[in-house]
Amino acid sequence: MSEHRRKPQQPQGGGRAAARRGQSDPSAGRRAAPRGATGSPSDSYGSRSSGPDSQGSGGEERPYGGRAEARRAAQKSTGGRRRTPDNGGRGPGGPAGPGRGRGRASTAPGKKRLIDYPRANRFGWRRWVPSWKLASGLCITFFGSLVALVGVGYAMVGVPDENTAAKSQNNVYYWADGKQMVATGTGINRQNVTIDQIPKAMQYAVISAENKSFYTDPGVDFKGIARALVNMAQGGETQGGSTITQQFVKNTYLSQDQTVTRKFKEMFISVKVGTKFTKPEILQGYLNTSYFGRGAYGIQAAAQTYYGVDAKELKPSQCAVLAALLKGATYYDPAGNPDIDPAATKDANYKRSHDRWGWILGEMHKDQHLSDAEYQTAIKKYPEPQGRKAVKGMTGQISYLADTAKKYVLAHSKVTEAQFDKGGFQIYTTFDKDKVNALNAAVNKVQKARLDPKHRDKDKYVQFGAASVVPKDGAIVALYGGAGYENNHFTNNADTSGVPVGSTWKPFVLAAAMQDGTYKTDGEGVSPLSKYNGDDNLKVRRPDGTYYLNKDNSIFRQRNESGYPWGYISLRKAMEQSVNTPFVQLGVDVGLTKVRDMAHASGILTDSMLQGLNPSFAIGTSTPSAIRMADAYATFAASGEHVDPYSVTAVKEDGQELSGFDKPKSTRAMEENVANNVTDVLQNVIQNGTGTNAKALGRTAAGKTGTTDSNKSAWFVGYTQQLSTSVAMFRENPKDAELLSMNGTAGVASIHGGDIPTSVWTEYMLAALKGKNDPGFPDATKIGQVADEAGAPSPTPSPTITPSETPSETPRATPSETVTAPSPTVTESCRFAWNCQGDGGTDAGGTGGTTSSPSATESTGEGDTRGNANGGGNGNLFGGPNG
């Protein structure tokens, strides 16, 4: 028989049969007790103990019930467990002990546990249901711990002190060489006042606008805090406190991050404030620590800053204006704050302030804080705040340098304007003191020599904006923002948009054409020797062969500044003389979106570009800042490598350096040879074209002039390898910021980019580059294919060009103005022989064309009422009638 079928060995003593025999045999003595009957561990199933003590004293005999009854008895004695975890189901004696059995559980009672879970005397799912004792114990422990935690938190936090909060620190700015430029925020614009010095109208204006239940609520909006915590947990923006008490607490912790920990701390402090301070004291603290804009902390400083009076002298109508500022001073200061956010224009801010002023007065009246008569008096007229004022040290160009650096800090960190104005920051800038002074001196010198606002009305309101950027680096080393805060000029002209750039936009069109080609070249770049029609009054053709139309469905015609019949000229020649019509048609042929993309890659912000693209987009209807134009031309100087402009290298607070101020990384904006060819063409503009005044620099340079329709702005942007500088000139009505014509300014018929702006540029660059070497520019190699516009004559052998002994007359820009220049030789006009083929027309320098400054309707594709070049009175859909 195989091993696995062998019968098990019978236990000694004969097993059950022997037991039965023993029962019938009197000689066997007393009958053995059934297994398990005594309750002793040795009586469990499988025990082999014997002898006189095996039954136990007093053990009650019962019929033997078999294995099932023995198991039930064993389970009752062990709490229902079948196995003992530490011995694999054997008896308490272990494998070799007296309790050895057949895998059945021991009947030994288990030790009593502190927490009976899972429950020992339950089976199935009932084992996992906690007892009422356990549940109540856990609840008591949890709520007790929570109370203890709240108590500890409440005891540990301090309450805000408005006097401590009123202490301000300096913001210190440094030049690029590490020397101190200026320290601002000395604390003179902060002063606490007591509640009796704050008009009731001011108190109730804040309560009606911010927290109507202020005098009855506990000081904490628990629902608002819960919403804020949920919002933070979901990754959303944090929310401020919704009660005046919470805002008071928040005002004293501006330097802390908005975190969950901060929210809990704010809650504890707010509760403590509500129990320690009276409501008037809380309101006093809030109004003494709130930020009202313009560097003014507290109601006393705000009253002086906006109305020139003490807080106690404020009228209800003025109180409502100041209360509106608490919604966000950047957007509710009626003077505007576009240097911080382009959306905070003077007009937009005035409307926001006016609307909220009226609403607050209405709420005060509704809440019975103003009588009918008081309300009617207050709502009668909006109390216009006084203009901005220069603060200590913020004069001259320093004000604009600090403004530019502050704007950069706010854009590249989590620091808010209120935090920044509280002080305590050290700002290290890129500004070069010598170059800043040189640029300021250049503007002042040219202004003094050419403008006389006391005796010529057309010289009034003339402004300049300029910026200088290092190619391949992006550092802004100098800027000119205006006449200075001390002269009530608070707009930074170097870093603001709104002035159309005119023909200085044409290099982006040429760069896009050389890199992407036109719809006719199948993606192959276009050579600058390609010929386009330069005549005035031309129709602009779409790629499908149709013409662009005006709003009244008449054919749109692009105009040049003069009616000179250029005929078909090369793009190089058109750039030299700033002729509009070739570049308008070229922009359409390349694709206006590609022109836009090229400008953006070079550094122009999309927001400053015309959104509804039309043909005039190619000749400068966009309005980038002087900083951005200098930076974009620096891309050409750097052979197509672009770096975003920056003005701050490091910021420290309490000795700790803030993150976010690493030097911007460079990107490839265009192919290297494309940029070099643009530079070669722009060198010719200075040598032979509209920018000849820049030849006085006496070194290798490239640049482009720009003038807009009605002579409302004039630009010159030029560069060497070391420096790229832009200069803008315009007239602006100070009342409504509307651009005015410069026809007649400086005693001439019209101002062109090649005139005063180029003179400023040259004066500055002479000083800025004094003692520097002249590295020139990388050589440009032949690029693209010649892709003439349809209708251009076939090329014919070019006649030999010899120098003219007498100057040749160039086309007149206006009937009263003639510009003459000697006809250049081939080598003067071109750097390479391949660039000198078939330019056509005269090579003499001219004044070129101007670009229209778009009106509100023009920028969206609407026509104006000036009439087209034919004099038919048709609206000009695309702007730029004069190029």
Side-chain angles (χ1 to χ4, degrees), residues 510-696:
L510 182 61
M514 288 194 291
Q515 178 156 295
D516 300 320
T518 68
Y519 71 94
K520 295 181 292 186
T521 64
D522 197 23
E524 184 178 350
V526 170
S527 167
L529 300 181
S530 302
K531 291 185 175 64
Y532 272 71
N533 194 337
D535 288 341
D536 188 29
N537 231 11
L538 288 184
K539 297 180 287 186
V540 182
R541 190 187 300 271
R542 301 175 188 270
D544 63 4
T546 61
Y547 293 110
Y548 280 92
L549 302 178
N550 290 313
K551 190 175 183 179
D552 63 357
N553 290 325
S554 62
I555 294 178
F556 166 73
R557 291 177 179 271
Q558 178 61 51
R559 292 188 294 180
N560 294 325
E561 182 185 8
S562 72
Y564 184 82
W566 288 102
Y568 284 88
I569 56 174
S570 70
L571 296 175
R572 178 184 176 86
K573 186 69 178 180
M575 185 75 76
E576 173 193 297
Q577 297 299 320
S578 199
V579 185
N580 289 335
T581 48
F583 285 97
V584 171
Q585 187 62 61
L586 178 65
V588 172
D589 292 350
V590 172
L592 295 174
T593 56
K594 291 183 179 179
V595 174
R596 181 184 60 195
D597 293 344
M598 177 60 72
H600 179 66
S602 300
I604 304 298
L605 298 178
T606 303
D607 290 345
S608 66
M609 289 190 263
L610 188 68
Q611 301 304 305
L613 300 181
N614 58 54
S616 291
F617 176 76
I619 52 174
T621 55
S622 296
T623 60
S625 67
I627 290 175
R628 283 290 171 175
M629 284 301 290
D631 179 66
Y633 270 52
T635 302
F636 299 136
S639 297
E641 186 178 336
H642 171 250
V643 183
D644 275 334
Y646 67 103
S647 58
V648 176
T649 59
V651 177
K652 293 182 180 179
E653 182 184 18
D654 298 328
Q656 299 296 317
E657 190 165 328
L658 304 185
S659 61
F661 299 99
D662 295 331
K663 178 181 174 181
K665 296 181 179 180
S666 64
T667 58
R668 173 60 59 182
M670 66 192 76
E671 296 172 8
E672 183 176 346
N673 196 38
V674 168
N676 292 341
N677 269 274
V678 171
T679 295
D680 182 71
V681 171
L682 296 186
Q683 282 182 262
N684 187 54
V685 171
I686 291 179
Q687 292 300 314
N688 306 295
T690 58
T692 53
N693 280 339
K695 291 172 68 174

Side-chain angles (χ1 to χ4, degrees), residues 75 178 213 366 408 432 442 572 661 699 735 813:
Q75 288 171 358
S213 62
K366 185 191 304 181
Y408 191 87
D432 184 306
R572 178 184 176 86
F661 299 99
R699 62 172 65 225
K735 294 183 179 180

